[in-house]
Amino acid sequence: MLSLPISRRVRWILLGAALLVIPYSLRSQFGPSLTRQFASGYVPDKAYEPNAPDSNDNTASEITADPGIPVFEASVNTLQSDVYDPYPDYNSPDWRQKWRGYHAPCIGPRNKYVNGNPEDMLKAHRLKTKAPVPMFGSYEETGLESDFCFDQHARFKPYSFGEYDLESGYTVSFPRSQNSGAGWDNVDWGTLQKTCSVRNQNRYAGVETPGLGTDGPSIFWMPLEEDRENVDKTLIFPPGKTDAKSWHGLWQLDQRVFKTRTAMVIRTWDGLEWTLDTMQHVRSLIMELSLHSGGEYEIIILLEVKDVALPIFENGTVYSKTLLKSVPAEFANMTILFNRLLLESWYPKAGSHDPKKSQEAHMTQPMQLLSLLRPDIEHFWQTELDVRYTGHHYHHLETISAWADAQPRKYAWERASRYYIPTAHGSWANFSAMIEDSTIGPGVWGPEKTKGIKPVGPEPPTGSLEGDQWGVGEEADLINLAPVFDTEGSTFLFKNNVENYPGGKTCTPRRATASTMLIRFSKRLLRAMHHGQVTLGTHMAPEMYPESTALHHGLKLVQFPLPTYLDYANSSPEQMDRIFNADEGKSVLNVPYQHSDIWHRMSYWSSLSHETNYPEELYNRWRAYTEDVMDRLCLPGILLHPVKGV
């Protein structure tokens, strides 16, 4: 967990009401004794709600029509279990018709090919009924699976679960396991990922990867004069003609040939305590996203060095020593260091670089530099180490990406500003039609005209038929898991934090979000953000800068309706719709503490308030870290934040 300055803690506490997508607690008991009825979207858990009904039936064999998640009393034999394999049928005729090259299997930590090796794969338990309908978002409408679950044994066994005695305390170098065949103290995840990418390099577009036998940099560098002089060359425009139809056709043609690569970037700092749980979490990201897929993803740790007196960019020995002191050795070769001085050198005109405020004011700048360092990567997920997911990472991110690709640009910004509540809105198609009917005029259509900004995105088509399909099949430049709202007319705390835009505060359109804990940027968006900060010194609060840049440049934005739960309910879905979606969602921002009882029970929350402990409670119970655990809680894919102290 990042240790943040007080100012950032205050920032997120004040932002609590803009928050979002948040799976809520699924009740952990099934059984015939369950008689109480609950509003759709809420399933209480007696461990957290004192008045919830009790149930002595903790087995998974007696599954009733009541929603819930089973607890395993002694074994998993009551549910069908099997290896869970969400990956494409690599090298099949159908796969070969779509993609260039061949998928080459990759070596894992056990010195075996990970694909098809049961020791390196998860085992899922098939539920006899699907997970409850969420209050926000949807499994069914997005393609996320909800008819299987993972207990902690199945979820983390490939990553050393059960191999160490937690009572004895933590050390960075663990002994060689006699159970799994993996010597975790000798694993080099960076080398495994690079080797995997080389084996599959014919599958990806022709930009060489730094550090794989090339002369490209593998660490950040202080800017040279040529970096500033050539900053225009970093921008990415549509190839050839700039009209939407021609560009979209070129994009589709390219996708039938090459697979694009994606990075999962983990943000952390040099004072983080690396626990066994944290290490198992990072191992799962590497195995499930990178090695099994043949390098479609690369996991990168982006680590801030707080002590700017350390000459990490002037002295290679200091850099290496700092790196090895900051992360366990197994992750060293996938970690990139940065500090405040690096950001100030690259972006001297963009906001204040005060030591106490730099981290919160310049959160996106390391990502912008990473897009320069790694031109072979097209998309960059950003996350932090207090985010956990109880399902399979590849299925999760690939489902999000595919769903975002399928969304049209028409009314995308308007859809992104609302919460999708399935039991109030019906299907996603019905929800989209409601947004269209309630929008005055065409909504956001192409680049939002902004003084001093030359858009890198395409101009929209003029025909109505083409306009309806514009963006369908196009990869999104920005994917957020929370609503993105217009700050005009809201009391959003940082809406006037706008600097060095030629149009000033009054004539610069902007959008904002309050959730940056899991968000995906395109290389094109990050380069546009970089260009603006180098040339003009454009600066906004980090909750606004990516969204506003996408708006100014006409880039594709998608808000993914992540399944979102609370652990109890006092309001119906219709009441929740009136609360969260009134005035395009701004009413919640204007009265944040009016609904604090709801915010404090959300399980994917951006606030750092200590009142928000539900996500950690659920995660600790799932991992059997609590005293009241009832043995092998089994959960579908649920995103949890914040999860601290594990």
Side-chain angles (χ1 to χ4, degrees):
M1 161 63 194
L2 287 158
S3 177
L4 300 174
I6 295 298
S7 56
R8 189 178 175 199
R9 291 178 182 271
V10 173
R11 171 191 294 267
W12 285 113
I13 292 172
L14 291 174
L15 283 176
L19 311 174
L20 334 230
V21 235
I22 325 149
Y24 67 118
S25 160
L26 303 174
R27 178 171 176 76
S28 61
Q29 283 89 28
F30 282 105
S33 62
L34 180 60
T35 59
R36 182 177 172 186
Q37 298 298 311
F38 304 104
S40 176
Y42 292 100
V43 185
D45 187 313
K46 74 182 186 67
Y48 309 125
E49 185 184 6
N51 296 325
D54 194 6
S55 172
N56 295 320
D57 183 359
N58 298 327
T59 70
S61 57
E62 297 292 335
I63 296 182
T64 72
D66 299 290
I69 297 301
V71 171
F72 294 123
E73 185 177 57
S75 73
V76 298
N77 294 330
T78 54
L79 292 179
Q80 179 182 350
S81 302
D82 202 353
V83 170
Y84 182 68
D85 185 355
Y87 300 96
D89 188 6
Y90 291 121
N91 301 333
S92 67
D94 289 343
W95 186 88
R96 290 279 295 131
Q97 284 184 354
K98 185 176 183 180
W99 304 112
R100 182 173 178 175
Y102 288 87
H103 173 275
C106 296
I107 297 292
R110 296 170 177 83
N111 202 31
K112 300 176 182 178
Y113 292 129
V114 296
N115 299 87
N117 180 22
E119 292 180 307
D120 291 320
M121 302 183 75
L122 305 189
K123 177 177 284 190
H125 309 297
R126 186 65 59 180
L127 296 174
K128 299 177 182 179
T129 184
K130 291 186 177 181
V133 176
M135 176 57 71
F136 302 107
S138 173
Y139 288 99
E140 183 176 354
E141 291 288 334
T142 60
L144 288 170
E145 293 184 324
S146 64
D147 57 350
F148 67 90
C149 65
F150 295 103
D151 67 317
Q152 66 156 342
H153 296 247
R155 185 69 188 82
F156 291 104
K157 186 176 181 180
Y159 317 122
S160 77
F161 174 80
E163 297 178 20
Y164 308 114
D165 181 11
L166 295 179
E167 299 293 331
S168 64
Y170 168 79
T171 57
V172 171
S173 296
F174 289 108
R176 184 175 184 85
S177 167
Q178 298 300 317
N179 299 323
S180 70
W184 300 106
D185 50 340
N186 296 320
V187 172
D188 181 346
W189 292 107
T191 297
L192 288 177
Q193 289 192 90
K194 291 176 181 178
T195 302
C196 184
S197 298
V198 169
R199 287 178 56 81
N200 287 270
Q201 61 187 346
N202 60 0
R203 296 174 54 196
Y204 307 111
V207 179
E208 292 191 60
T209 304
L212 298 183
T214 73
D215 295 328
S218 58
I219 63 175
F220 288 137
W221 69 95
M222 287 295 181
L224 305 173
E225 188 60 33
E226 63 189 60
D227 293 314
R228 296 185 176 91
E229 292 176 352
N230 297 326
V231 66
D232 288 349
K233 296 181 180 180
T234 65
L235 291 174
I236 302 173
F237 291 93
K241 297 180 180 179
T242 59
D243 65 278
K245 185 176 180 180
S246 296
W247 175 55
H248 181 53
L250 287 167
W251 183 89
Q252 285 184 315
L253 180 61
D254 184 65
Q255 289 306 288
R256 288 196 297 268
V257 177
F258 290 110
K259 179 75 174 176
T260 57
R261 299 196 70 218
T262 301
M264 169 59 78
V265 183
I266 302 169
R267 300 289 297 271
T268 186
W269 66 297
D270 57 353
L272 177 79
E273 177 187 358
W274 284 81
T275 66
L276 179 57
D277 183 276
T278 301
M279 297 175 73
Q280 290 174 343
H281 167 63
V282 176
R283 291 167 184 167
S284 72
L285 287 168
I286 301 168
M287 289 279 282
E288 293 162 29
L289 292 175
S290 179
L291 299 188
H292 279 281
S293 72
E296 294 173 21
Y297 290 79
E298 182 174 335
I299 315 306
I300 298 171
I301 298 174
L302 201 54
L303 186 143
E304 181 177 10
V305 177
K306 297 288 190 177
D307 185 359
V308 295
L310 292 173
I312 57 174
F313 296 112
E314 293 79 28
N315 188 311
T317 301
V318 173
Y319 187 100
S320 298
K321 288 183 177 180
T322 304
L323 177 63
L324 292 174
K325 284 177 58 178
S326 303
V327 296
E330 65 184 83
F331 305 122
N333 280 338
M334 51 180 277
T335 300
I336 301 173
L337 305 182
F338 73 95
N339 61 16
R340 176 174 54 82
L341 295 183
L342 176 76
L343 305 183
E344 185 174 4
S345 297
W346 276 94
Y347 306 110
K349 296 186 289 186
S352 169
H353 288 274
D354 180 274
K356 295 182 179 180
K357 299 180 180 179
S358 181
Q359 182 189 45
E360 66 189 58
H362 303 291
M363 290 179 62
T364 64
Q365 289 179 351
M367 298 293 290
Q368 294 162 202
L369 295 180
L370 188 59
S371 76
L372 300 180
L373 179 68
R374 296 300 306 272
D376 58 306
I377 294 175
E378 290 296 323
H379 299 281
F380 298 80
W381 282 99
Q382 174 181 265
T383 190
E384 296 187 3
L385 282 174
D386 57 355
V387 177
R388 294 291 189 272
Y389 184 62
T390 59
H392 194 285
H393 296 302
Y394 187 86
H395 171 67
H396 186 218
L397 296 190
E398 285 294 288
T399 301
I400 293 175
S401 300
W403 189 88
D405 292 352
Q407 301 309 301
R409 282 175 172 255
K410 190 175 183 179
Y411 299 114
W413 288 88
E414 290 71 31
R415 291 192 300 274
S417 67
R418 313 298 208 283
Y419 294 85
Y420 171 48
I421 304 175
T423 47
H425 299 142
S427 67
W428 178 258
N430 188 61
F431 171 72
S432 300
M434 292 169 58
I435 297 298
E436 181 174 351
D437 291 343
S438 64
T439 301
I440 300 174
V444 175
W445 191 237
E448 194 82 346
K449 189 174 181 180
T450 307
K451 186 177 180 180
I453 303 295
K454 179 183 178 182
V456 299
E459 290 295 324
T462 55
S464 60
L465 183 61
E466 288 180 337
D468 289 341
Q469 293 300 308
W470 187 38
V472 175
E474 177 189 1
E475 292 182 327
D477 292 283
L478 184 60
I479 300 177
N480 206 323
L481 307 186
V484 176
F485 53 88
D486 186 349
T487 62
E488 186 67 29
S490 77
T491 57
F492 182 61
L493 185 64
F494 310 110
K495 70 176 184 179
N496 291 321
N497 187 350
V498 178
E499 300 175 15
N500 300 326
Y501 282 86
K505 290 180 174 64
T506 57
C507 297
T508 301
R510 68 214 81 145
R511 296 292 187 272
T513 186
S515 176
T516 60
M517 301 307 169
L518 186 60
I519 187 170
R520 196 188 82 172
F521 310 96
S522 71
K523 177 172 63 176
R524 180 170 56 166
L525 173 58
L526 290 171
R527 296 285 185 85
M529 294 161 62
H530 169 78
H531 184 269
Q533 294 204 320
V534 170
T535 57
L536 299 174
T538 54
H539 178 69
M540 292 185 183
E543 297 83 12
M544 291 196 299
Y545 190 52
E547 289 74 17
S548 299
T549 303
L551 181 72
H552 302 159
H553 286 273
L555 302 181
K556 183 178 177 180
L557 166 96
V558 171
Q559 186 236 133
F560 180 79
L562 187 78
T564 300
Y565 295 99
L566 288 79
D567 69 329
Y568 73 93
N570 293 320
S571 302
S572 69
E574 292 74 19
Q575 289 172 316
M576 295 292 285
D577 183 31
R578 289 192 291 271
I579 291 172
F580 283 83
N581 285 332
D583 191 22
E584 301 178 356
K586 297 176 188 177
S587 61
V588 177
L589 293 172
N590 292 338
V591 283
Y593 295 107
Q594 180 177 335
H595 309 293
S596 60
D597 61 324
I598 298 175
W599 300 124
H600 292 161
R601 307 312 299 176
M602 289 180 169
S603 56
Y604 183 74
W605 200 38
S606 297
S607 172
L608 295 181
S609 167
H610 291 294
E611 296 178 72
T612 311
N613 57 4
Y614 173 66
E616 185 176 320
E617 289 174 354
L618 181 57
Y619 185 78
N620 281 333
R621 193 157 178 230
W622 182 58
R623 292 302 311 264
Y625 294 158
T626 61
E627 294 181 0
D628 67 340
V629 68
M630 291 186 293
D631 190 25
R632 299 189 75 166
L633 179 65
C634 196
L635 297 176
I638 301 177
L639 198 63
L640 300 171
H641 177 270
V643 176
K644 311 175 190 299
V646 294

